[in-house]
PDB file of all heavy atoms in Angstrom:
ATOM      1  N   THR O   7     123.950  79.052 100.444  1.00  0.00           N
ATOM      2  CA  THR O   7     124.082  77.604 100.267  1.00  0.00           C
ATOM      3  C   THR O   7     123.759  76.902 101.573  1.00  0.00           C
ATOM      4  O   THR O   7     123.954  77.471 102.659  1.00  0.00           O
ATOM      5  CB  THR O   7     125.524  77.234  99.846  1.00  0.00           C
ATOM      6  OG1 THR O   7     126.449  77.749 100.825  1.00  0.00           O
ATOM      7  CG2 THR O   7     125.847  77.773  98.481  1.00  0.00           C
ATOM      8  N   PRO O   8     123.222  75.686 101.532  1.00  0.00           N
ATOM      9  CA  PRO O   8     122.726  75.024 100.319  1.00  0.00           C
ATOM     10  C   PRO O   8     121.368  75.571  99.905  1.00  0.00           C
ATOM     11  O   PRO O   8     120.759  76.351 100.646  1.00  0.00           O
ATOM     12  CB  PRO O   8     122.618  73.566 100.769  1.00  0.00           C
ATOM     13  CG  PRO O   8     122.259  73.668 102.221  1.00  0.00           C
ATOM     14  CD  PRO O   8     123.004  74.867 102.757  1.00  0.00           C
ATOM     15  N   LYS O   9     120.860  75.163  98.788  1.00  0.00           N
ATOM     16  CA  LYS O   9     119.543  75.594  98.337  1.00  0.00           C
ATOM     17  C   LYS O   9     118.449  74.832  99.084  1.00  0.00           C
ATOM     18  O   LYS O   9     117.411  75.379  99.430  1.00  0.00           O
ATOM     19  CB  LYS O   9     119.404  75.349  96.834  1.00  0.00           C
ATOM     20  CG  LYS O   9     118.212  76.058  96.199  1.00  0.00           C
ATOM     21  CD  LYS O   9     118.277  75.948  94.690  1.00  0.00           C
ATOM     22  CE  LYS O   9     117.041  76.549  94.037  1.00  0.00           C
ATOM     23  NZ  LYS O   9     116.896  77.976  94.319  1.00  0.00           N
ATOM     24  N   HIS O  10     118.700  73.547  99.298  1.00  0.00           N
ATOM     25  CA  HIS O  10     117.761  72.694 100.037  1.00  0.00           C
ATOM     26  C   HIS O  10     118.515  71.926 101.095  1.00  0.00           C
ATOM     27  O   HIS O  10     119.679  71.544 100.882  1.00  0.00           O
ATOM     28  CB  HIS O  10     117.066  71.693  99.103  1.00  0.00           C
ATOM     29  CG  HIS O  10     116.273  72.326  98.008  1.00  0.00           C
ATOM     30  ND1 HIS O  10     114.990  72.795  98.194  1.00  0.00           N
ATOM     31  CD2 HIS O  10     116.582  72.569  96.711  1.00  0.00           C
ATOM     32  CE1 HIS O  10     114.542  73.296  97.052  1.00  0.00           C
ATOM     33  NE2 HIS O  10     115.483  73.179  96.139  1.00  0.00           N
ATOM     34  N   LEU O  11     117.842  71.671 102.213  1.00  0.00           N
ATOM     35  CA  LEU O  11     118.432  70.910 103.295  1.00  0.00           C
ATOM     36  C   LEU O  11     117.322  70.080 103.929  1.00  0.00           C
ATOM     37  O   LEU O  11     116.289  70.628 104.341  1.00  0.00           O
ATOM     38  CB  LEU O  11     119.019  71.883 104.316  1.00  0.00           C
ATOM     39  CG  LEU O  11     120.131  71.457 105.251  1.00  0.00           C
ATOM     40  CD1 LEU O  11     121.221  70.704 104.534  1.00  0.00           C
ATOM     41  CD2 LEU O  11     120.697  72.685 105.935  1.00  0.00           C
ATOM     42  N   ILE O  12     117.548  68.789 103.983  1.00  0.00           N
ATOM     43  CA  ILE O  12     116.580  67.899 104.638  1.00  0.00           C
ATOM     44  C   ILE O  12     117.309  67.190 105.763  1.00  0.00           C
ATOM     45  O   ILE O  12     118.376  66.599 105.546  1.00  0.00           O
ATOM     46  CB  ILE O  12     115.999  66.873 103.649  1.00  0.00           C
ATOM     47  CG1 ILE O  12     115.312  67.574 102.483  1.00  0.00           C
ATOM     48  CG2 ILE O  12     115.008  65.949 104.374  1.00  0.00           C
ATOM     49  CD1 ILE O  12     114.837  66.636 101.389  1.00  0.00           C
ATOM     50  N   THR O  13     116.738  67.270 106.963  1.00  0.00           N
ATOM     51  CA  THR O  13     117.395  66.674 108.108  1.00  0.00           C
ATOM     52  C   THR O  13     116.344  66.157 109.090  1.00  0.00           C
ATOM     53  O   THR O  13     115.142  66.282 108.843  1.00  0.00           O
ATOM     54  CB  THR O  13     118.322  67.707 108.779  1.00  0.00           C
ATOM     55  OG1 THR O  13     119.101  67.066 109.789  1.00  0.00           O
ATOM     56  CG2 THR O  13     117.513  68.817 109.407  1.00  0.00           C
ATOM     57  N   ALA O  14     116.801  65.592 110.171  1.00  0.00           N
ATOM     58  CA  ALA O  14     115.890  64.995 111.141  1.00  0.00           C
ATOM     59  C   ALA O  14     115.805  65.839 112.408  1.00  0.00           C
ATOM     60  O   ALA O  14     116.688  66.666 112.681  1.00  0.00           O
ATOM     61  CB  ALA O  14     116.369  63.588 111.484  1.00  0.00           C
ATOM     62  N   THR O  15     114.766  65.622 113.164  1.00  0.00           N
ATOM     63  CA  THR O  15     114.623  66.340 114.432  1.00  0.00           C
ATOM     64  C   THR O  15     115.808  66.052 115.331  1.00  0.00           C
ATOM     65  O   THR O  15     116.381  64.957 115.298  1.00  0.00           O
ATOM     66  CB  THR O  15     113.334  65.935 115.171  1.00  0.00           C
ATOM     67  OG1 THR O  15     113.320  64.509 115.334  1.00  0.00           O
ATOM     68  CG2 THR O  15     112.089  66.365 114.394  1.00  0.00           C
ATOM     69  N   GLY O  16     116.222  67.064 116.074  1.00  0.00           N
ATOM     70  CA  GLY O  16     117.333  66.932 116.990  1.00  0.00           C
ATOM     71  C   GLY O  16     118.691  67.230 116.380  1.00  0.00           C
ATOM     72  O   GLY O  16     119.677  67.377 117.114  1.00  0.00           O
ATOM     73  N   GLN O  17     118.743  67.339 115.068  1.00  0.00           N
ATOM     74  CA  GLN O  17     120.014  67.580 114.385  1.00  0.00           C
ATOM     75  C   GLN O  17     120.392  69.059 114.386  1.00  0.00           C
ATOM     76  O   GLN O  17     119.608  69.926 114.801  1.00  0.00           O
ATOM     77  CB  GLN O  17     119.947  67.054 112.951  1.00  0.00           C
ATOM     78  CG  GLN O  17     119.788  65.550 112.847  1.00  0.00           C
ATOM     79  CD  GLN O  17     120.946  64.818 113.479  1.00  0.00           C
ATOM     80  OE1 GLN O  17     122.119  65.023 113.131  1.00  0.00           O
ATOM     81  NE2 GLN O  17     120.647  63.942 114.426  1.00  0.00           N
ATOM     82  N   ARG O  18     121.613  69.300 113.894  1.00  0.00           N
ATOM     83  CA  ARG O  18     122.134  70.664 113.784  1.00  0.00           C
ATOM     84  C   ARG O  18     122.539  70.909 112.343  1.00  0.00           C
ATOM     85  O   ARG O  18     123.098  70.014 111.704  1.00  0.00           O
ATOM     86  CB  ARG O  18     123.352  70.816 114.703  1.00  0.00           C
ATOM     87  CG  ARG O  18     124.095  72.111 114.579  1.00  0.00           C
ATOM     88  CD  ARG O  18     125.392  72.050 115.381  1.00  0.00           C
ATOM     89  NE  ARG O  18     126.276  73.174 115.088  1.00  0.00           N
ATOM     90  CZ  ARG O  18     126.318  74.294 115.791  1.00  0.00           C
ATOM     91  NH1 ARG O  18     125.530  74.443 116.829  1.00  0.00           N
ATOM     92  NH2 ARG O  18     127.156  75.261 115.463  1.00  0.00           N
ATOM     93  N   VAL O  19     122.235  72.105 111.834  1.00  0.00           N
ATOM     94  CA  VAL O  19     122.617  72.457 110.476  1.00  0.00           C
ATOM     95  C   VAL O  19     123.229  73.851 110.450  1.00  0.00           C
ATOM     96  O   VAL O  19     123.018  74.663 111.357  1.00  0.00           O
ATOM     97  CB  VAL O  19     121.398  72.415 109.508  1.00  0.00           C
ATOM     98  CG1 VAL O  19     120.838  71.005 109.408  1.00  0.00           C
ATOM     99  CG2 VAL O  19     120.326  73.416 109.920  1.00  0.00           C
ATOM    100  N   THR O  20     123.970  74.114 109.383  1.00  0.00           N
ATOM    101  CA  THR O  20     124.574  75.434 109.178  1.00  0.00           C
ATOM    102  C   THR O  20     124.203  75.938 107.801  1.00  0.00           C
ATOM    103  O   THR O  20     124.406  75.246 106.803  1.00  0.00           O
ATOM    104  CB  THR O  20     126.104  75.361 109.312  1.00  0.00           C
ATOM    105  OG1 THR O  20     126.439  74.959 110.635  1.00  0.00           O
ATOM    106  CG2 THR O  20     126.719  76.732 109.028  1.00  0.00           C
ATOM    107  N   LEU O  21     123.658  77.148 107.757  1.00  0.00           N
ATOM    108  CA  LEU O  21     123.293  77.814 106.519  1.00  0.00           C
ATOM    109  C   LEU O  21     124.319  78.915 106.271  1.00  0.00           C
ATOM    110  O   LEU O  21     124.691  79.652 107.195  1.00  0.00           O
ATOM    111  CB  LEU O  21     121.893  78.438 106.631  1.00  0.00           C
ATOM    112  CG  LEU O  21     120.674  77.536 106.519  1.00  0.00           C
ATOM    113  CD1 LEU O  21     120.724  76.354 107.460  1.00  0.00           C
ATOM    114  CD2 LEU O  21     119.407  78.339 106.745  1.00  0.00           C
ATOM    115  N   ARG O  22     124.719  79.046 105.013  1.00  0.00           N
ATOM    116  CA  ARG O  22     125.778  79.990 104.685  1.00  0.00           C
ATOM    117  C   ARG O  22     125.275  81.074 103.756  1.00  0.00           C
ATOM    118  O   ARG O  22     124.435  80.819 102.877  1.00  0.00           O
ATOM    119  CB  ARG O  22     126.944  79.249 104.044  1.00  0.00           C
ATOM    120  CG  ARG O  22     128.134  80.117 103.731  1.00  0.00           C
ATOM    121  CD  ARG O  22     129.165  79.368 102.897  1.00  0.00           C
ATOM    122  NE  ARG O  22     130.166  80.281 102.373  1.00  0.00           N
ATOM    123  CZ  ARG O  22     131.392  80.403 102.870  1.00  0.00           C
ATOM    124  NH1 ARG O  22     131.777  79.681 103.887  1.00  0.00           N
ATOM    125  NH2 ARG O  22     132.255  81.262 102.336  1.00  0.00           N
ATOM    126  N   CYS O  23     125.819  82.264 103.936  1.00  0.00           N
ATOM    127  CA  CYS O  23     125.412  83.426 103.131  1.00  0.00           C
ATOM    128  C   CYS O  23     126.632  84.257 102.783  1.00  0.00           C
ATOM    129  O   CYS O  23     127.446  84.574 103.657  1.00  0.00           O
ATOM    130  CB  CYS O  23     124.420  84.283 103.909  1.00  0.00           C
ATOM    131  SG  CYS O  23     124.120  85.920 103.210  1.00  0.00           S
ATOM    132  N   SER O  24     126.731  84.630 101.514  1.00  0.00           N
ATOM    133  CA  SER O  24     127.750  85.589 101.094  1.00  0.00           C
ATOM    134  C   SER O  24     127.054  86.842 100.609  1.00  0.00           C
ATOM    135  O   SER O  24     126.236  86.781  99.682  1.00  0.00           O
ATOM    136  CB  SER O  24     128.611  85.005  99.972  1.00  0.00           C
ATOM    137  OG  SER O  24     129.397  83.948 100.459  1.00  0.00           O
TER     138      SER O  24
END
Side-chain angles (χ1 to χ4, degrees):
Chain O
T7 56
K9 194 171 175 62
H10 300 278
L11 204 46
I12 301 174
T13 188
T15 55
Q17 295 299 304
R18 173 189 169 94
V19 297
T20 297
L21 283 52
R22 183 189 168 103
C23 167
S24 292

